[in-house]
Amino acid sequence: MIDDEKKPRAGRGSFWKELPVLLVVALVVALLVRQFVVQTFWIPTGSMEQTLLIDNRVLVNKLAFEFGEPARGEIVVFEAPESWRSSTEQEDFIKRIIGQPGDHVVCCDAQGRITVNGQPLDEPYVFPGNKAAPAPFDITVPAGRVWVMGDHREASADSLANYNGHNQDIMQATIPLDALVGRAFVLFWPFDRATWLTVPETFDAVPDPSPGK
């Protein structure tokens, strides 16, 4: 029979000795998650109103495009080209993907809607009073790039603004896939506006681009 009195016991101070190690491990895990998995981003401008307001916070899935392609309608964070930035402090932008590689994107149809591969988009998320686009355009998204627009169409430094601002240079206007940081999937602050950031149903009807276009 084993005498319980003789069992080795953990020292009373062992928790406090291990606490610094546990804190370091927790910090390392948190840093790894932030660096490679999920990161918080702050909204500094009104370019995505009313979907995202100034000072809102979103969570961004940084692995989203490691295992899949970016989809039309997704709200994405990306490293903006230097030609898009108004200051050296600006680096990461947030916009909505309207066109994938190869898509034919046009504004506008008879009802004033943007069309993608001939399919019109119904965009209730566009800022009230804004047109679908502040100027007409007709472009085909180059391979390996995406066409992005802010929901506040008349106040967004997006693909259309840079297309018109750089002599309709489609390469200046579009974002390379490898510049995408991740997909914004939830608005979490302030709590009274918290919501999932899902892809609007209107994009479900968009067909794939025709071969050769």
Side-chain angles (χ1 to χ4, degrees):
M1 186 173 181
I2 299 175
D3 185 353
D4 289 341
E5 293 287 334
K6 296 181 180 179
K7 287 183 180 179
R9 297 178 179 178
R12 293 181 179 179
S14 62
F15 172 77
W16 299 108
K17 292 178 181 178
E18 294 173 359
L19 183 59
V21 176
L22 294 174
L23 291 175
V24 169
V25 170
L27 178 61
V28 170
V29 170
L31 290 174
L32 289 174
V33 167
R34 184 182 184 278
Q35 181 69 26
F36 299 109
V37 184
V38 175
Q39 186 172 348
T40 300
F41 281 86
W42 163 68
I43 308 302
T45 73
S47 69
M48 283 296 293
E49 294 177 339
Q50 299 282 11
T51 307
L52 302 174
L53 306 181
I54 295 173
D55 289 335
N56 283 178
R57 265 71 167 176
V58 297
L59 291 179
V60 173
N61 179 0
K62 301 179 75 172
L63 293 180
F65 308 132
E66 296 294 329
F67 303 102
E69 295 296 320
R72 306 177 193 94
E74 291 182 333
I75 296 175
V76 296
V77 171
F78 58 92
E79 184 178 345
E82 290 188 8
S83 60
W84 285 39
R85 308 176 194 178
S86 58
S87 71
T88 55
E89 296 179 356
Q90 292 182 318
E91 181 176 345
D92 294 326
F93 280 30
I94 186 166
K95 308 291 179 191
R96 189 183 300 275
I97 294 177
I98 302 298
Q100 293 175 307
D103 281 347
H104 184 209
V105 187
V106 178
C107 182
C108 286
D109 68 2
Q111 285 74 49
R113 298 171 297 183
I114 289 175
T115 65
V116 181
N117 303 329
Q119 176 66 35
L121 300 178
D122 293 313
E123 301 182 282
Y125 48 79
V126 169
F127 188 83
N130 279 192
K131 296 179 179 179
F137 64 94
D138 184 337
I139 63 95
T140 298
V141 183
R145 307 180 79 87
V146 290
W147 176 273
V148 297
M149 299 182 76
D151 289 354
H152 195 168
R153 297 286 161 83
E154 296 178 10
S156 180
D158 55 16
S159 286
L160 180 56
N162 284 278
Y163 182 67
N164 291 328
H166 292 92
N167 298 314
Q168 299 188 339
D169 184 340
I170 192 62
M171 300 303 287
Q172 287 282 354
T174 49
I175 300 300
L177 296 180
D178 60 9
L180 298 179
V181 174
R183 176 187 175 184
F185 67 95
V186 65
L187 165 60
F188 74 92
W189 180 264
F191 292 137
D192 61 355
R193 298 198 75 242
T195 186
W196 296 105
L197 300 173
T198 57
V199 174
E201 292 182 0
T202 189
F203 290 93
D204 295 342
V206 176
D208 292 334
S210 299
K213 289 188 179 182

